[in-house]
Each structure stands twice: as structure tokens, then as C-alpha cells.
Amino acid sequence: MSALFSPLQLRAVTLPNRIGIPPMCQYSARDGGLATDWHLQHYGSRAVGGAGLVIVEATAVLPEGRISRGDLGLWDDAQIEPLARVARLIASQGGVPAIQIGHAGRKASVGLGWEAQQTLTAEEGGWTTVAPSAVAFEGYAEPRALDREGISRVVQAFVAAVRRARQAGFQAVEIHAAHGYLLHQFLSPLSNRRDDDYGGSFTNRIRLTRKVVAAVRAEWPDTLPLLIRLSATDWVDGGWDAEQTVELCRLLKTDGVDLVDVSTGGLVASAKIPAGPGFQMPFATRIRAEAGLLTAAVGLITEPAQAEAILTEGHADLVLVGREILRNPFWPLQAAPALGVEVAWPKQYLRARPSGR
Ligand code: FNR
Ligand code: 531
């Protein structure tokens, strides 16, 4: 057997293998956050392709928390059934359906991924963004600092969103606290200039993330796993860094987080990120070793042997393969024989199996 094709137990949920698809915005929602046929084919084909965990893209807990007008949402009950179709299709193919929920904060209200990435004016359909402080992301509009009522509204919106995610049939939920979005904006001293108990010290800057985790954990069934995605570093001196990430993860373990999905960056547009094969993996290694939490490694993982080694060398418990699976939805089915493993093919496609059977 290979490590990559061994199951992973997360509370009452069993991933059939260690290959996950990380959340990747499709900017294809209609009418204010509703999933479409695009999402059905996009996620369905990749579930057919054999990924053990399929994490649906960043889904906004509030309309103003969307990155763009094309973002999915879970702020309204009408959004449940279109997403339930996606979750059912993923599960029907043997994959575990998960969804990432988040709030874009000061990085909200921009164009679709292939359009201009700057804050849209009201005439362009944009809105006033919010953040811990009135500090703009480079090149974006200045956000409004959230007051305590606004913070409480965000926490409650995460709770309502995971309740809807459960109704939609998702078996895991991932809190988006990475990539320079709202929760990360509170974590980093570069964006969080507050002088109340949500800003300044490490304890204050992690307060909102821990509040959201605690509230979501209390709402999400105890039998189901809770994941969080963190940016382990801002890649900027004086920013959020690996030491603070490890310290936060030690606390998140006590808060009931089951696995940390370890990314980096997104807070500072001009940060110099040393991207390369597995470049974020060392952070997953550290969290796994020093915080005693399961981790997912992600970032330019494209080869079966590379993915297998990440697991066998103890760097992470799950490997997330993003753009490579955009290019090739069937990457997992093709990775198996490369590692000497026989995996079940969809019956409809058996005659296409490489062995020609
Ligand atoms: C992403 N990524 C991303 N990350 C996240 O936390 N939520 C999201 O919704 C998205 N959306 C998204 C869209 C697209 C088109 C891309 C390419 C990426 C980041 C993604 O999950 C992953 O961390 C990176 O792509 C690095 O992994 P790969 O692609 O090198 O395997
Ligand atoms: C790509 C990205 C990856 C890592 C750091 C910063 C940015 N992003 C992230 C996405 C949106 C589109 C591309 C999200 O996290 C929602």
C-alpha cells in the first residue's frame, strides 16, 4: 500500500485517501452567491477523478464578505440546495465533501479572478469594505474599521453559515483564516492597528479567530471535523510569522480544530514569496511537530512521488493538490499506478483503464 492511498480518520469521517483538493474560487456564482452547473461539473468531475477530500471554494458568510460578485455564499437559506447538489455528487463518488467559509474583509468587493483586482466603486457594483482597522490592502480602497457590533455580527454569520453547510450535507468545514482575508487581517500586526482587546498583543490579535473557531465548533456536530486554513507567514519582517502560527495552533488544538491547512502569504501584495515545489511544506512540518495537530501540506505539489514523500517523511497527514488537479481532474486515478497501487475506477470508465481491461 502507499501512504497517499491510505485512509485518514477525522472524527467520524473517513477520507478514503490522503489526496485533497484545496478550495479554489471559480467566480461562477449567480444571483448573489448561488452555485451553478459550473460548480456541479467542476467539483463532480474531480470527485470522479478520485480525490478523497474535495474542499469547495471560499464561500462568504456575509454578502459584504465576498471577494467578488462571483463568490458562493452561505448567508441565506436559498444558497443551501444548490450547494447540496454539489455535496451529494462529491459524496456519491466516494469523496468527502467539505466547504471553506470566510469573509474577505478589506480584500472584498473586487472583480472576478480574471478581471481587475482593485476595489470596485459603487457604480461598478462594489461596496464599502470592512477590516480590523482603516488600513488598505495595497492598491485597494481604505476599509471601514469594524466596531464591536460589527465583530459580533461576523461571528454570528460564521455560525449561521456552518449550520447551512451542515444542512447542505457537507461533512467537513474549513475556516478561512489565511491569504490576507478578514481573520488573517486581525492576526497580522501589519493590518491590525486596533487599540481595543482585538488588537496589539498576540492574545488580542488571535481573539477573533479563536472566537470564530469556538462558535463554529459549538455549532458544528462533534462527530464532524473542523479544519482551519492559516497563512503561516506574511513573508514580511514584523508581520505574522511561523512562531506565532505554532503558538496559535497549540491553542486551536484545545479549541477543537482537527487539522490545519497550511498556506502562506496574501496579507502584503508586495511580499517576496519563494514559491517552488512544496515551498510551504516546512510550515506544515513545524505545526505537526510542535503543536501536535494534523496538517495538510499545499503549494506546488504536482507529482505522486512528491506527495507520497510528504506523508512518509512525516511532514503532513494530507496533501492538497490544487492547480495540477485543475489541469487534470483525474490526477488521483493516475497517481495510483505510479505508486504501484490499484484503485477502483468509475464503472462507466472501466474500459478506459490504462491496463485496457
Ligand atoms: C486558489 N486558492 C484559494 N485558497 C483558498 O484558501 N480559498 C480559495 O477559494 C482559493 N481560490 C483559489 C482559486 C484559484 C484559481 C487558485 C489557483 C488558487 C489557493 C489554493 O487553494 C492553493 O492553496 C494554491 O493554489 C496552492 O496550491 P497549488 O495550486 O500549487 O497546488
Ligand atoms: C491565491 C493566493 C494564494 C495564496 C496567497 C494569496 C493568494 N488566491 C487566494 C484565493 C483567491 C484567489 C487566489 C483565496 O484565498 C480566496
Side-chain angles (χ1 to χ4, degrees):
M1 266 314 267
S2 82
L4 194 63
F5 288 90
S6 64
L8 176 63
Q9 187 81 30
L10 296 175
R11 296 191 182 226
V13 172
T14 304
L15 307 188
N17 60 52
R18 305 299 182 99
I19 303 167
I21 299 179
M24 293 187 279
C25 296
Q26 296 300 296
Y27 308 100
S28 300
R30 64 182 169 80
D31 305 340
L34 296 173
T36 64
D37 286 350
W38 173 263
H39 297 96
L40 213 52
Q41 72 77 23
H42 168 68
Y43 291 109
S45 53
R46 285 160 182 80
V48 169
L53 174 71
V54 180
I55 309 177
V56 170
E57 69 208 69
T59 297
V61 299
L62 284 169
E64 64 270 26
R66 289 173 295 167
I67 302 163
S68 77
R69 66 184 183 281
D71 286 28
L72 294 175
L74 270 175
W75 68 79
D76 186 299
D77 288 353
Q79 296 158 337
I80 295 172
E81 185 47 33
L83 273 173
R85 292 178 70 205
V86 173
R88 280 196 295 271
L89 182 51
I90 295 167
S92 73
Q93 299 307 310
V96 170
I99 188 163
Q100 183 188 58
I101 56 172
H103 188 305
R106 69 181 188 173
K107 290 179 79 173
S109 183
V110 297
L112 304 180
W114 46 87
E115 296 174 346
Q117 294 301 293
Q118 66 216 12
T119 314
L120 298 179
T121 62
E123 294 71 32
E124 293 166 322
W127 57 89
T128 302
T129 59
V130 295
S133 306
V135 177
F137 180 69
E138 293 154 87
Y140 286 27
E142 184 176 295
R144 185 169 52 76
L146 279 170
D147 61 16
R148 304 188 75 78
E149 193 278 328
I151 288 173
S152 168
R153 184 164 172 270
V154 165
V155 175
Q156 289 319 308
F158 270 93
V159 173
V162 289
R163 182 164 54 246
R164 296 188 182 101
R166 187 64 203 123
Q167 288 173 279
F170 288 97
Q171 296 171 30
V173 70
E174 178 175 274
I175 294 169
H176 199 343
H179 299 168
Y181 297 111
L182 186 65
L183 297 182
H184 186 182
Q185 292 162 28
F186 273 82
L187 294 175
S188 178
L190 300 177
S191 42
N192 180 345
R193 306 287 170 76
R194 297 179 76 93
D195 55 13
D196 65 3
D197 57 358
Y198 286 96
S201 68
F202 168 79
T203 300
N204 283 356
R205 286 183 282 110
I206 66 171
R207 192 179 306 280
L208 180 56
T209 293
R210 292 191 72 191
K211 259 190 182 190
V212 168
V213 166
V216 163
R217 185 72 270 178
E219 176 65 34
W220 191 243
D222 284 346
T223 53
L224 299 181
L226 171 60
L227 286 61
I228 189 167
R229 173 165 269 196
L230 295 173
S231 282
T233 179
D234 289 343
W235 297 108
V236 171
D237 289 344
W240 181 256
D241 61 18
E243 285 63 34
Q244 293 174 82
T245 298
V246 170
E247 205 179 330
L248 171 59
C249 288
R250 287 194 183 107
L251 295 167
L252 292 176
K253 180 173 183 171
T254 69
D255 296 339
V257 166
D258 298 293
L259 183 144
V260 182
D261 172 359
V262 188
S263 188
T264 66
L267 203 282
V268 175
S270 55
K272 297 281 169 286
I273 299 180
F279 72 109
Q280 297 173 142
M281 185 198 70
F283 300 105
T285 313
R286 275 200 63 183
I287 292 164
R288 191 170 189 266
E290 299 173 35
L293 259 175
L294 299 182
T295 60
V298 65
L300 292 176
I301 300 169
T302 57
E303 299 303 322
Q306 176 194 10
E308 179 76 3
I310 288 170
L311 301 170
T312 56
E313 292 169 7
H315 298 293
D317 305 275
L318 184 63
V319 172
L320 303 183
V321 180
R323 283 163 291 187
E324 185 58 28
I325 286 188
L326 291 188
R327 291 186 282 266
N328 174 11
F330 285 40
W331 189 90
L333 288 181
Q334 291 155 8
L339 296 171
V341 173
E342 282 247 334
V343 286
W345 267 57
K347 294 181 182 56
Q348 299 87 337
Y349 296 171
L350 274 175
R351 296 177 71 86
R353 274 194 88 135
S355 58
R357 209 188 352 221

